[in-house]
Amino acid sequence: MSTTGRTLPTPVAAALDKIETSPPVQGAAPDPTRQHLTADVTHDLHQRISDPIVRALLSREKIFAWALNEAIDQAKAEAPTGSELHHKLPPFKEQPGSSTPSGSLPGLADRVLAVVQTIQPSFLEELVTQTNTEQKLKLTSAEKAPVIKALPAAAYGHSVGELDVVVGRVLAGHRAARAHDSIMATFGHRAGEATGAPPEPGWSTVPIDEPPASQPRTCNDPCAVAETAFSDVDVSPPAALISTEYLTAASVLAPIYQYGDWIGFFRAVDEAIRLLDSDKLCIEKPELQNALVCWDERDNRVTAPQRATLAATVFGVDDAARPSDVRPDPRMPGLLDSLFDAINAYCDPGPCKGDPSPATVQRLRTATTAVRTRLSTVMTGRSVMRVRELQIQFGKARKILYDLAPFVHAPCRPAPRRPGASTTGPREWLTVSALLGPTLQDGSDLVDAAERARAYQTVFNWLATLDEDTRPGDDVCLAAARLRPPRTAHSTCAS
């Protein structure tokens, strides 16, 4: 079957092929003497047909030609004997005062639709058969009749290219709920996307695609609108706006900024280099000396202003190193506060409730979706590459701080005396404390800042990996409470 652009799905195309090669359509061909009627009839039908089943049938040249010839023959047969209409082929003269386009036969489009309705049951039966064979749905004889009966109503709102998917959905609805996903999985991505289909070539076909929404529809039949069946408006959530890669990058950036800039791992390395330059730091380890030189010359690639730019645009943080032309994201701080509140409400419903209410669960889902969507929006491809670079840079900074501990007069921490106890630990913290002191630049405690950094890391890792049904675990609950302590409500439960 030759088509322009994409081809129709195999079951739909095969069903149409079967109808074209079977009685009564078999052998039909366009009548060259009636081609002048085609444009008007096609235009009329194109404006009126929203049923994808009828649109599919009339998209085939032979079916259209057969239906048009049948309609004209019926009109002639019903005309009074001896009339001009009875004896002459079209063109038919326009009646005075008629709104029918010149050169067309009044009511011809309606007759074409009536003729097509006679072969619709055969097409639907063939469509179900072909879809069952193609997708291996294992349709039983008891299921076939109700599926065919439900198809016309179920097809409204879908394109011709989705008719086989509609068959799968109707069948899934007739079977147990547990079988629904396995049935729809056979259609792959087409089960959740509109596929559409291009019009097939031919002088006498109605285009398969729906007319543009901006194009006004004509209504020659006052009952056409009244007969339109209502259907559910099913609009999927904007899940396409969420990028897993961008969320993962944000989950890496969050702890690196907290540890590297807010707590000061990067400043500690800079301070070690300053002490080395002023001959106040004696290092007898060549590898560490090389690392400090390389840091200043090569490894400190993402500078403090660049890191501050990332924090401002992604998290809405106003860092002192932020360039003046960069503005913090105005929405993210409020979205994060709402998320922490929603997590707190879910994790601690209150003294009178054992489980979170459905409203609390929905509030949590809305808050997580809002944050994940916003993060996916403010992150860019360049930001992701810079975070990758920053991850390498942060790893080298930690290695330098770990190796520096014996040389910066870090506080004495005797090795554990318990048998089997580890004699190594996070020595970078000893170096940071020795070089920067036990408090941060804003006066906050180093230990408190470290707890907040770990809490941010926990929440952002959860955001990057959750799916629609994921609920926060105890670690996420504790992290949210640490970042935004829940408001306590003083209430008593009724006995």
Side-chain angles (χ1 to χ4, degrees):
M1 180 185 66
S2 174
T3 60
T4 58
R6 296 172 294 171
T7 59
L8 288 173
T10 300
V12 181
L16 290 171
D17 289 344
K18 182 69 174 180
I19 297 299
E20 275 194 317
T21 56
S22 302
V25 179
Q26 184 180 16
D31 186 342
T33 65
R34 298 175 176 179
Q35 289 192 24
H36 49 271
L37 285 176
T38 302
D40 289 336
V41 174
T42 301
H43 175 77
D44 193 6
L45 292 173
H46 180 52
Q47 297 296 322
R48 293 168 53 185
I49 300 175
S50 59
D51 184 349
I53 298 172
V54 176
R55 189 171 287 274
L57 289 167
L58 290 178
S59 69
R60 287 301 184 94
E61 184 178 72
K62 289 183 179 180
I63 297 176
F64 187 99
W66 166 77
L68 181 62
N69 291 338
E70 287 289 312
I72 293 175
D73 291 342
Q74 289 176 11
K76 289 181 61 179
E78 295 173 8
T81 303
S83 67
E84 180 183 10
L85 177 61
H86 182 79
H87 290 291
K88 297 176 61 179
L89 284 173
F92 299 98
K93 296 181 179 179
E94 180 180 356
Q95 301 299 320
S98 170
S99 60
T100 305
S102 177
S104 69
L105 176 62
L108 185 57
D110 292 330
R111 292 179 182 273
V112 170
L113 290 177
V115 171
V116 170
Q117 292 292 333
T118 64
I119 60 172
Q120 178 171 306
S122 300
F123 170 67
L124 293 180
E125 182 175 4
E126 190 63 32
L127 173 64
V128 171
T129 300
Q130 294 291 341
T131 304
N132 178 50
T133 302
E134 175 74 15
Q135 302 297 342
K136 299 179 176 59
L137 301 179
K138 299 180 180 179
L139 186 74
T140 65
S141 56
E143 291 172 327
K144 190 170 186 179
V147 169
I148 293 174
K149 182 178 180 181
L151 272 180
Y156 271 100
H158 293 275
S159 68
V160 173
E162 294 179 291
L163 287 177
D164 59 328
V165 180
V166 175
V167 172
R169 285 177 177 157
V170 173
L171 176 59
H174 279 76
R175 291 182 177 175
R178 62 182 174 80
H180 179 275
D181 292 342
S182 62
I183 292 175
M184 299 315 297
T186 63
F187 294 93
H189 70 279
R190 295 180 56 237
E193 299 179 0
T195 57
E200 294 202 14
W203 65 270
S204 60
T205 59
V206 175
I208 290 178
D209 292 335
E210 287 291 328
S214 59
Q215 196 174 23
R217 291 178 178 269
T218 60
C219 184
N220 296 329
D221 184 353
C223 295
V225 175
E227 294 173 353
T228 300
F230 287 110
S231 60
D232 291 336
V233 178
D234 185 13
V235 180
S236 301
L241 298 177
I242 297 176
S243 167
T244 302
E245 182 180 10
Y246 284 8
L247 288 173
T248 303
S251 72
V252 172
L253 175 61
I256 289 179
Y257 175 76
Q258 289 292 321
Y259 289 116
D261 287 283
W262 184 250
I263 292 176
F265 279 33
F266 293 134
R267 288 196 306 275
V269 176
D270 292 338
E271 176 64 13
I273 293 174
R274 188 189 68 80
L275 293 175
L276 188 64
D277 286 343
S278 60
D279 206 22
K280 294 181 181 180
L281 180 61
C282 182
I283 298 176
E284 301 175 356
K285 187 176 181 181
E287 295 83 357
L288 180 56
Q289 292 174 335
N290 291 337
L292 288 170
V293 172
C294 288
W295 175 267
D296 209 25
E297 298 293 333
R298 183 190 66 193
D299 293 336
N300 190 19
R301 292 168 59 86
V302 184
T303 63
Q306 292 172 335
R307 299 193 299 269
T309 296
L310 281 173
T313 56
V314 176
F315 304 124
V317 175
D318 191 6
D319 189 280
R322 173 179 59 85
S324 58
D325 60 340
V326 175
R327 295 289 178 266
D329 180 67
R331 295 183 55 192
M332 186 56 70
L335 292 176
L336 287 174
D337 285 346
S338 297
L339 173 61
F340 298 148
D341 288 341
I343 295 175
N344 288 334
Y346 176 87
C347 298
D348 186 11
C352 304
K353 300 177 181 178
D355 296 312
S357 66
T360 300
V361 174
Q362 182 57 45
R363 177 188 175 194
L364 174 62
R365 183 180 292 114
T366 301
T368 55
T369 300
V371 172
R372 297 178 83 220
T373 302
R374 187 63 181 174
L375 287 173
S376 300
T377 301
V378 296
M379 288 292 293
T380 65
R382 182 67 182 94
S383 299
V384 170
M385 296 304 296
R386 183 150 284 173
V387 171
R388 295 182 191 275
E389 191 173 24
L390 187 56
Q391 182 175 248
I392 298 173
Q393 180 173 322
F394 181 66
K396 291 183 177 180
R398 290 189 62 190
K399 180 65 167 60
I400 289 174
L401 295 175
Y402 182 90
D403 292 341
L404 272 173
F407 303 103
V408 295
H409 304 293
C412 179
R413 295 293 182 269
R417 296 181 180 275
R418 298 187 306 276
S422 174
T423 58
T424 61
R427 296 196 309 182
E428 63 262 35
W429 285 108
L430 301 178
T431 304
V432 171
S433 178
L435 293 175
L436 302 181
T439 58
L440 304 186
Q441 289 180 327
D442 64 350
S444 59
D445 182 70
L446 179 63
V447 175
D448 180 70
E451 290 295 326
R452 289 180 61 84
R454 181 172 292 276
Y456 272 116
Q457 183 174 11
T458 299
V459 172
F460 276 91
N461 283 344
W462 175 69
L463 287 172
T465 56
L466 66 83
D467 56 36
E468 185 177 356
D469 296 324
T470 300
R471 299 289 182 264
D474 291 344
D475 57 338
V476 178
C477 292
L478 293 173
R482 179 68 185 80
L483 296 171
R484 187 171 173 84
R487 293 185 285 270
T488 57
H490 301 283
S491 61
T492 58
C493 297
S495 57

